[in-house]
Amino acid sequence: MNFVIERLRRTTDTIIGADDLRERLDSGRPLRIKYGVDCTAPDLHLGHAVNLWMMRQLQDLGHRVVFLLGDLTTRVGDPTGRSETRPVLTPSQIDANAASFLEQVSLVLRTDPEVFEVRRNSEWYDAMPVAELLGLFAQVTQAQLMSRDMFRERVAAGREIAVHELVYPVLQGYDSFAMESDLTIVGSDQLFNEQLGRHFQQRLGAPPQVVITTTITPGIDGRAKQSKSLNNYIGLTDSPRDKFGKLMSIPDELVEPYARVYTELPLETVAALADSAGSGGPAARDAKLRLAAAVVTRYHGAGVARAELAAFRQTFSERGRPDEMPSVVVRGDVATAFDLLRAARPDDSNSELRRLLRQGAVTINGVRTDDPAASVDLHADVVLKSGARTWHRITRQ
Amino acid sequence: MNFVIERLRRTTDTIIGADDLRERLDSGRPLRIKYGVDCTAPDLHLGHAVNLWMMRQLQDLGHRVVFLLGDLTTRVGDPTGRSETRPVLTPSQIDANAASFLEQVSLVLRTDPEVFEVRRNSEWYDAMPVAELLGLFAQVTQAQLMSRDMFRERVAAGREIAVHELVYPVLQGYDSFAMESDLTIVGSDQLFNEQLGRHFQQRLGAPPQVVITTTITPGIDGRAKQSKSLNNYIGLTDSPRDKFGKLMSIPDELVEPYARVYTELPLETVAALADSAGSGGPAARDAKLRLAAAVVTRYHGAGVARAELAAFRQTFSERGRPDEMPSVVVRGDVATAFDLLRAARPDDSNSELRRLLRQGAVTINGVRTDDPAASVDLHADVVLKSGARTWHRITRQ
């Protein structure tokens, strides 16, 4: 059954307990996969979906995702990646958020009861005597909890850690025991908490869960990781058009990781797209179109993706393009950007053409091009715009 | 009602909330005095009794001591002054320890229901949902808890703090709210935890308890504070004889603090005893006898104290003393140790007499004396022993 681990590897960062995973997959028993979330208002993005798609692969093999709402902890607030104490939520807010969560999750996961189960951690904590909770606390040290990156960063920044936040990882860890988790697939920021899960399972005599952490890619700005506050993310509930547009806006160097992590394109195709993106200009533009189409296909199907591709060209690539424009005929299958400019503007000096390029006044098939040597494929007609309002259609001889 | 605070002042170190105390005493309402203990095997000593006697004074004015057994926390172990995690106790061990505690406490406190009440903190924690406990945790920061001396010392010593130990002060603090404490009288090592009590009472809308910390005196070795492991303490359940003997063994400089803190002797008497102790020799011995008699009187009555005084003289002060011994008559009301030796051993040289003193071979009324100038009161007969077996009775002319 190593093929499962092999398939997951594409988006796997680390596996804690790889031997256990192999053994459990070999056993043929359906595994219980912990998918723990807090109950604040969700806004799942492509980054979250990486984990969901891995779970979906396992569902397709008969394993069961246990969607665990951390409603107990939400009732008292909890620490977040933003290192802020979240507000306490009312039960009806929690219910509304949970419903929204399930709706978003169902864009990727199967939610039929065969392979999907919803639990709340209040199920066990509401029944747990305080003495038992203190008994759990006795099995962890203060230093262990404070070693968590997020806490250390907060201390370094002189910010406070409320005690309920400090103990939150203990609860998240015990959840794994209570729900009999075999495996959980999380972002690396959750590794600490989920390793506490292993700790409690072992202490309490249960087999420890396997923890897989996934590759995290930066947001569409190419810098910080995807987050709502930075508005640099692609949401699962974004329209196909928005997904397409945002993907067209990413820096060239994100084409490779996005294609690898956010699509199922064959890895050879990913490598080819990476090459194209590396050469910039229209080739990079084409690579992004391919990427955007693959992502939209994954969530909305091939038909929608094709329609978005056409719409994108129309709306963004050729904005302001006149219906009629002068034609220029050139020889060969490929040409450089400079060659095209030279052919279109025979009266301008070379230095004048270079200045246009340098100033970003040149677009080829809607893509701004500042490299005179950028290579352009001439198998189809090419639209060249130079300066504010000068358009030419380039046709191969 | 300031006279109450005045009376307590003798053994008071600090008062947190003195104005509140004055106001509440003035109100005429019986106050609820928190006396919180864990449920490990008790061995109350004179140091603990300082607090108990203060509570007893308040009981005699109609106030109520609430003896609070921290049974919840004992069930999971808790941090101690010894900076060690205590073992978990079974319910029957807890009951046995609680019974023993009450027995020892009743040596000082009144236990009639008018002014005494027994509670267990499991009463509120067994009924508390985990979410509510986490809500308490949300009102304290990690840094606040870690500022506790004991924790800082542990961290400095590279020792671990289990998380249940870290949160123990939160529970001890909330106890004050749950039992409606007006006042608690504790050793200064408990100040931190009881201030958390004030914190929670205020947060939860209740008037904060007054915290009185008491003077801590060293153990009978004059160094460390009284502890069972160092065997340097005087237990409340020690026999009158053991109490008497241990008090006779203390260093001279402890006579003053012990008399001030462990007896109700008038402060002028305490000052006089301090003077006597300061002059060493038989005077210091007499001061200790007076101290020992006062302490034994407090716990066992004047008759027992008199009998112990006589027995002590017989057993320790005059061990090996013959029934008959030569008499020496000297002039005056007082004399120095050297004068007495000179009179008793007329044939020895001055240097020989000094050598005897220096070697500790001289006892006067059972007290070893090495100071030639030590002053001896001659109003009653004095027994002088010099060398191994030479005894004289000194009589005033």
Side-chain angles (χ1 to χ4, degrees):
Chain A
M1 292 281 273
N2 277 355
F3 81 94
V4 179
I5 295 177
E6 215 42 62
R7 279 187 64 187
L8 298 176
R9 190 178 304 282
R10 175 161 172 173
T11 47
T12 292
D13 188 20
T14 57
I15 304 185
I16 313 290
D19 289 344
D20 286 342
L21 179 56
R22 208 164 288 119
E23 193 179 296
R24 283 177 212 176
L25 288 168
D26 285 346
S27 76
R29 169 173 70 83
L31 302 188
R32 292 174 65 78
I33 304 162
K34 175 186 181 185
Y35 176 39
V37 304
D38 63 38
C39 293
T40 50
D43 213 340
L44 297 185
H45 53 60
L46 289 193
H48 300 116
V50 170
N51 305 10
L52 293 173
W53 283 113
M54 291 166 83
M55 295 184 225
R56 170 61 188 264
Q57 290 182 342
L58 290 161
Q59 281 186 317
D60 290 343
L61 294 166
H63 303 293
R64 169 183 287 246
V65 169
V66 184
F67 179 75
L68 177 65
L69 285 159
D71 64 335
L72 183 278
T73 41
T74 309
R75 262 190 266 150
V76 287
D78 66 41
T80 72
R82 287 163 296 158
S83 306
E84 292 278 313
T85 302
R86 289 188 181 172
V88 176
L89 299 182
T90 64
S92 69
Q93 284 173 314
I94 291 175
D95 288 346
N97 290 342
S100 164
F101 229 127
L102 279 175
E103 200 183 316
Q104 295 182 36
V105 159
S106 69
L107 297 175
V108 178
L109 293 184
R110 286 169 51 191
T111 53
D112 46 305
E114 277 289 293
V115 291
F116 192 75
E117 179 181 328
V118 178
R119 304 294 292 270
R120 297 180 169 226
N121 68 1
S122 59
E123 290 170 37
W124 37 93
Y125 289 118
D126 282 353
M128 180 183 277
V130 161
E132 193 178 329
L133 182 68
L134 294 177
L136 295 180
F137 290 169
Q139 304 186 29
V140 192
T141 69
Q142 180 274 150
Q144 246 179 309
L145 294 187
M146 286 303 294
S147 71
R148 194 183 172 197
D149 287 348
M150 195 187 82
F151 291 149
R152 284 192 300 194
E153 284 160 18
R154 279 221 237 173
V155 170
R159 286 201 303 279
E160 293 191 329
I161 299 164
V163 174
H164 72 301
E165 298 178 295
L166 181 73
V167 302
Y168 178 84
V170 173
L171 302 172
Q172 189 174 333
Y174 177 78
D175 284 343
S176 296
F177 170 80
M179 59 170 284
E180 302 175 67
S181 167
D182 286 303
L183 165 65
T184 190
I185 300 175
V186 294
S188 55
D189 57 333
Q190 294 300 310
L191 177 59
F192 178 91
N193 294 1
E194 295 303 336
Q195 278 191 312
L196 268 187
R198 289 172 60 82
H199 175 76
F200 280 113
Q201 287 173 309
Q202 285 169 310
R203 285 290 182 107
L204 299 168
Q209 66 184 1
V210 176
V211 182
I212 295 182
T213 66
T214 51
T215 312
I216 292 182
T217 47
I220 55 176
D221 55 0
R223 289 190 295 269
K225 69 180 191 179
Q226 300 186 60
S227 92
K228 194 169 183 176
S229 57
L230 294 174
N231 195 27
N232 66 344
Y233 69 109
I234 300 173
L236 291 200
T237 55
D238 280 354
S239 66
R241 183 144 307 172
D242 284 347
K243 287 194 182 82
F244 205 104
K246 287 179 179 179
L247 287 162
M248 290 308 294
S249 77
I250 63 174
D252 294 344
E253 63 272 20
L254 281 191
V255 168
E256 192 277 331
Y258 271 37
R260 184 162 38 81
V261 168
Y262 296 151
T263 78
E264 286 183 300
L265 291 170
L267 288 175
E268 308 84 71
T269 308
V270 172
L273 292 180
D275 276 353
S276 304
S279 54
R285 198 274 317 256
D286 287 346
K288 283 174 205 169
L289 286 172
R290 185 80 189 271
L291 166 67
V295 170
V296 171
T297 299
R298 192 176 209 188
Y299 290 97
H300 307 280
V304 172
R306 264 194 306 275
E308 288 306 325
L309 188 60
F312 182 84
R313 281 195 194 278
Q314 184 60 32
T315 312
F316 292 95
S317 302
E318 314 197 338
R319 197 198 316 247
R321 169 186 158 177
D323 291 340
E324 301 292 318
M325 60 184 88
S327 264
V328 177
V329 178
V330 298
R331 291 169 182 261
D333 292 344
V334 291
T336 66
F338 190 83
D339 292 340
L340 300 190
L341 262 187
R342 176 79 284 157
R345 304 175 77 116
D347 299 335
D348 288 346
S349 69
N350 281 357
S351 60
E352 173 66 9
L353 298 181
R354 286 214 181 75
R355 192 183 55 76
L356 280 170
L357 281 160
R358 208 164 48 240
Q359 290 175 341
V362 176
T363 58
I364 297 172
N365 283 344
V367 178
R368 183 155 296 156
T369 305
D370 59 6
D371 178 8
S375 159
V376 183
D377 184 331
L378 298 177
H379 283 93
D381 282 4
V382 168
V383 174
L384 171 72
K385 183 184 172 211
S386 54
R389 273 176 296 272
T390 310
W391 297 80
H392 296 89
R393 181 181 309 280
I394 312 285
T395 310
R396 187 167 55 143
Q397 190 177 38
Chain B
M1 292 281 272
N2 277 354
F3 82 93
V4 179
I5 296 178
E6 215 42 63
R7 279 186 65 187
L8 298 177
R9 191 178 302 283
R10 176 160 171 172
T11 47
T12 291
D13 188 19
T14 56
I15 304 187
I16 314 288
D19 290 343
D20 286 341
L21 179 56
R22 209 166 287 119
E23 192 180 296
R24 283 177 213 177
L25 288 168
D26 286 346
S27 77
R29 169 173 70 82
L31 302 187
R32 292 174 65 79
I33 304 162
K34 175 186 181 183
Y35 176 40
V37 303
D38 63 39
C39 294
T40 50
D43 214 338
L44 297 185
H45 53 60
L46 289 193
H48 298 116
V50 170
N51 304 11
L52 293 173
W53 284 112
M54 292 166 83
M55 293 184 226
R56 170 59 188 265
Q57 289 181 343
L58 290 161
Q59 282 185 316
D60 289 344
L61 295 166
H63 302 294
R64 170 182 287 247
V65 168
V66 183
F67 179 76
L68 176 65
L69 285 159
D71 64 334
L72 184 277
T73 40
T74 308
R75 263 191 265 150
V76 288
D78 65 42
T80 74
R82 287 164 296 157
S83 304
E84 292 279 312
T85 302
R86 289 186 181 173
V88 176
L89 299 181
T90 65
S92 69
Q93 284 173 314
I94 290 175
D95 287 346
N97 290 342
S100 165
F101 229 126
L102 279 174
E103 200 183 315
Q104 294 182 36
V105 160
S106 69
L107 297 175
V108 177
L109 293 183
R110 286 168 52 189
T111 54
D112 46 305
E114 277 288 293
V115 291
F116 192 75
E117 181 180 329
V118 179
R119 303 294 291 271
R120 297 179 169 226
N121 68 359
S122 59
E123 290 170 36
W124 38 92
Y125 289 118
D126 282 353
M128 181 182 279
V130 160
E132 192 179 330
L133 181 68
L134 295 177
L136 295 179
F137 289 170
Q139 304 187 29
V140 193
T141 69
Q142 181 274 147
Q144 245 179 311
L145 294 186
M146 286 303 294
S147 71
R148 193 182 174 195
D149 288 348
M150 196 187 83
F151 291 149
R152 284 193 301 194
E153 284 160 18
R154 280 219 237 173
V155 169
R159 286 201 303 278
E160 292 190 329
I161 299 165
V163 174
H164 71 301
E165 299 178 296
L166 182 73
V167 303
Y168 179 84
V170 173
L171 302 172
Q172 189 174 332
Y174 177 79
D175 284 343
S176 297
F177 170 81
M179 58 171 285
E180 300 176 68
S181 168
D182 286 302
L183 166 65
T184 190
I185 301 175
V186 293
S188 56
D189 56 334
Q190 293 300 309
L191 177 59
F192 178 91
N193 294 1
E194 295 302 338
Q195 279 190 312
L196 268 188
R198 288 172 61 82
H199 175 76
F200 280 113
Q201 287 174 309
Q202 285 170 310
R203 286 289 183 108
L204 299 168
Q209 65 183 1
V210 176
V211 182
I212 295 181
T213 67
T214 52
T215 312
I216 292 182
T217 48
I220 56 176
D221 55 1
R223 288 190 295 269
K225 69 179 192 179
Q226 300 187 58
S227 92
K228 195 169 184 176
S229 58
L230 294 175
N231 195 28
N232 66 344
Y233 70 109
I234 300 175
L236 290 199
T237 56
D238 280 352
S239 68
R241 184 144 305 173
D242 283 347
K243 286 195 183 82
F244 205 103
K246 286 179 178 178
L247 286 163
M248 291 307 294
S249 79
I250 63 174
D252 294 344
E253 62 273 16
L254 280 191
V255 168
E256 192 278 331
Y258 271 38
R260 185 161 39 80
V261 168
Y262 295 153
T263 78
E264 286 183 299
L265 291 170
L267 289 175
E268 309 85 70
T269 308
V270 172
L273 291 180
D275 276 355
S276 305
S279 53
R285 198 276 316 255
D286 287 346
K288 283 176 205 170
L289 285 172
R290 186 79 189 274
L291 167 67
V295 169
V296 171
T297 298
R298 193 177 209 185
Y299 290 97
H300 306 281
V304 172
R306 265 194 305 277
E308 287 306 324
L309 188 60
F312 182 84
R313 281 195 194 281
Q314 184 62 30
T315 312
F316 291 96
S317 303
E318 314 199 336
R319 197 198 317 247
R321 169 186 159 175
D323 290 338
E324 301 292 316
M325 59 184 87
S327 263
V328 176
V329 177
V330 298
R331 289 168 183 261
D333 291 344
V334 291
T336 66
F338 190 83
D339 291 339
L340 300 188
L341 263 188
R342 175 80 282 157
R345 306 176 74 120
D347 299 335
D348 287 347
S349 67
N350 281 357
S351 62
E352 173 65 10
L353 298 181
R354 287 214 180 75
R355 194 185 53 77
L356 280 171
L357 281 159
R358 208 164 46 239
Q359 289 178 342
V362 176
T363 59
I364 297 171
N365 283 345
V367 178
R368 183 157 294 154
T369 305
D370 58 7
D371 177 7
S375 159
V376 182
D377 185 333
L378 299 176
H379 284 93
D381 282 3
V382 166
V383 174
L384 171 74
K385 182 186 173 209
S386 55
R389 271 175 299 272
T390 309
W391 296 80
H392 296 89
R393 180 180 309 281
I394 312 286
T395 311
R396 185 166 59 140
Q397 192 178 33

